[in-house]
Amino acid sequence: SPINYRADYGFKTFETAESPNIVFFNNNGTKLELYPLQALASDINEMEPPALSSQGFCGITFAMNAKTKIEVGQLLALAEVHGAKIVKPAQEVFWGGYSGYFTDLDGYYWEVAYAESWQFDEQEMLVIEP
């Protein structure tokens, strides 16, 4: 059976639907770690590391939450200066926000997004509540 992130791992969410289109989890102590791919593959199995591939969409995206539309554009431009490829220019999107996407040098997709209704806490984390 699939992992139930709420029950199995204790991830906190205000979402109550069993199969929502999108769900946001608040996780105390969670951090995003970016680690060199080859080093990560070796960490998984030093003798026979998994094959690396940056071909195609792997079903994982990362996201940065901006505080203004201008910041979305600035972050996308900065990524491009550093070699990223803009794959969706910043634009108004169906969910009422403003976002764009780039792929980094390892082929991962990153969304840079903003919504007028968003609020951030004292640690600059996006507040997601019901």
Side-chain angles (χ1 to χ4, degrees), residues 22-70:
I22 187 170
V23 61
F24 293 94
F25 293 105
N26 295 329
N27 301 304
N28 294 333
T30 298
K31 293 192 182 297
L32 170 64
E33 177 183 352
L34 299 178
Y35 196 61
L37 286 174
Q38 190 61 53
L40 181 59
S42 292
D43 188 52
I44 292 168
N45 186 328
E46 189 173 356
M47 301 306 291
E48 295 180 38
L52 298 174
S53 174
S54 61
Q55 303 301 314
F57 176 56
C58 67
I60 296 173
T61 63
F62 299 100
M64 288 185 265
N65 300 310
K67 294 184 178 146
T68 66
K69 286 182 179 182
I70 292 170

Side-chain angles (χ1 to χ4, degrees), residues 85-96:
K85 179 181 177 187
I86 305 301
V87 295
K88 180 181 179 183
Q91 58 194 265
E92 302 289 333
V93 290
F94 74 94
W95 50 267

